[in-house]
Amino acid sequence: MTYSFPACSATPDIQVIPSWIGQQYVGGGVTAQTLSTATVQGMVSRGTLLLTTGPFAAAGSGVAITIRVIC
């Protein structure tokens, strides 16, 4: 997911703020950034771990991810 914001004059501090949607944990990290955009990999917790690759899965297109940008 790519987010745009007003351009910063220096490299911004960008973080994904962990949150909950019902019983599901939502988090992630910044994979790339510029002075006015950030690309974020959103992750959500899985309901069951049986036969999965781990406790998290990529967030779908309808999942809200909260980011914090400090210029």
Side-chain angles (χ1 to χ4, degrees):
M1 297 174 222
T2 300
Y3 297 91
S4 298
F5 44 87
C8 298
S9 58
T11 303
D13 176 23
I14 304 171
Q15 292 182 334
V16 175
I17 306 298
S19 61
W20 291 91
I21 297 176
Q23 296 293 316
Q24 223 171 11
Y25 178 81
V26 179
V30 178
T31 59
Q33 71 182 63
T34 67
L35 294 178
S36 62
T37 63
T39 302
V40 173
Q41 174 62 55
M43 302 295 283
V44 295
S45 59
R46 294 181 192 259
T48 180
L49 295 178
L50 186 61
L51 301 175
T52 65
T53 59
F56 294 96
S61 62
V63 176
I65 304 293
T66 303
I67 62 168
R68 176 186 58 85
V69 179
I70 298 176
C71 289

